[in-house]
Amino acid sequence: MSEKAEFLKSVDVSRETLERLEGFQQLLIKWNGAINLVSPHTIRQIWSRHFLDSAQIFDLSEGGSGLWMDIGSGGGFPGLIVAILAAEKRPDLSVMLVESDRRKAAFLTTVAMKLGLKVTVKVDRIEALPPANCDILSARALAPLSDLLGYAARHLAKDGICLFPKGIRWRDELAEAAKNWSFSHEQFPSLTDKDAVILKMKEPVHV
C-alpha cells in the first residue's frame, strides 16, 4: 500500500481536501531544495512522516471554531495540515502560523494563498508577539516542553489547550517541566512513531 493510501486509510477527507494536500506536497517538494523546509531524507515520506503526523494532532483538538496558533511552523507542520483539514471539517476555525524565518514564512504565505486557506502568517518570534488568547496552541519539534509551556502561558486563552508532539524522551521532558510548571495533561500514542506521544495540556501556570 502506498504512503498516500495509508494516509487516506487513517484520515477521512473529501476529494477537495485531497487535492489541497496534493497541491501542498507539490509546493513543498518545489521549495525544499532552496530553503530546506524538511529534512531531505524525509521528502519521500511526506504522507506518513509529515502529513499523517500532523493530521493526528488535528484529530485531538476540541471545538469547532476559535483560533489555532501554531508556533515555529517551518514547513507548515502541523499548521498548514490543520488549515487544510479545517477548511473541510471546521470552517469556522482560524489558523495563525508563527515563523520568524522570512523565507519559510514566504513559503507558508504562498501555500495558503494558492490553496485558498484561511491562514494568517506572523513573521516574528513568538515571545515578541502580543498575547493571542488562542484556543489551541501547537508546536512540532520546536523547543523543550518547559519553554513551550512558557509560550502557552502567554498566548493561551483561559480554557485553551496545547498539543505538543514529543519523541522518545517525552517522560523526561514532562518531569523537567514539572519542576517549574503546574499543568494538567493527557498523552496519546503517536500513529507514526511507537516511541512518541502527543501531549494534550491545559492550564500551564509557572510555580
Side-chain angles (χ1 to χ4, degrees):
M1 187 180 294
S2 71
E3 272 210 327
K4 186 188 297 184
E6 286 283 3
F7 175 92
L8 295 173
K9 184 179 178 182
S10 300
V11 185
D12 181 29
V13 298
S14 67
R15 178 177 293 276
E16 183 179 7
T17 297
L18 177 58
E19 288 173 354
R20 278 180 162 138
L21 290 167
E22 290 170 339
F24 182 18
Q25 178 188 20
Q26 292 168 6
L27 288 165
L28 183 67
I29 292 171
K30 179 180 178 179
W31 283 62
N32 201 60
I35 60 175
N36 194 32
L37 296 159
V38 298
S39 174
H41 76 269
T42 67
I43 203 72
R44 295 181 181 179
Q45 305 167 319
I46 287 175
W47 288 86
S48 61
R49 180 67 185 86
H50 299 295
F51 285 13
L52 181 57
D53 197 50
S54 297
Q56 66 178 338
I57 298 172
F58 178 83
D59 288 341
L60 292 174
S61 62
E62 301 172 358
S65 61
L67 173 63
W68 185 312
M69 186 182 200
D70 184 54
I71 61 176
S73 296
F77 305 111
L80 282 177
I81 296 296
V82 165
I84 290 171
L85 295 176
E88 173 189 347
K89 300 173 184 291
R90 293 168 61 180
D92 292 330
L93 183 71
S94 298
V95 178
M96 178 191 295
L97 309 181
V98 181
E99 175 53 55
S100 62
D101 184 305
R102 292 190 175 277
R103 295 182 304 164
K104 292 179 180 178
F107 168 75
L108 298 172
T109 301
T110 299
V111 175
M113 180 182 64
K114 287 184 177 294
L115 300 185
L117 301 174
K118 188 163 65 174
V119 164
T120 300
V121 179
K122 297 288 187 181
V123 190
D124 211 336
R125 298 187 65 81
I126 183 64
E127 56 268 34
L129 292 176
N133 199 39
C134 62
D135 301 282
I136 304 166
L137 187 141
S138 61
R140 179 178 184 248
L142 176 66
L145 186 58
S146 292
D147 293 346
L148 294 178
L149 290 173
Y151 303 144
R154 177 176 176 82
H155 291 287
L156 203 62
K158 181 180 178 182
D159 297 320
I161 64 169
C162 308
L163 293 168
F164 300 139
K166 285 293 177 181
I168 192 170
R169 295 191 64 253
W170 66 269
R171 292 181 181 84
D172 295 336
E173 287 201 48
L174 265 180
E176 186 64 27
K179 295 177 182 178
N180 297 301
W181 292 94
S182 167
F183 50 81
S184 63
H185 82 281
E186 301 173 80
Q187 64 258 6
F188 298 87
S190 171
L191 299 177
T192 59
D193 182 344
K194 64 180 178 60
D195 295 318
V197 299
I198 296 93
L199 296 175
K200 186 174 186 178
M201 311 187 76
K202 297 182 180 181
E203 302 171 330
V205 177
H206 196 266
V207 294

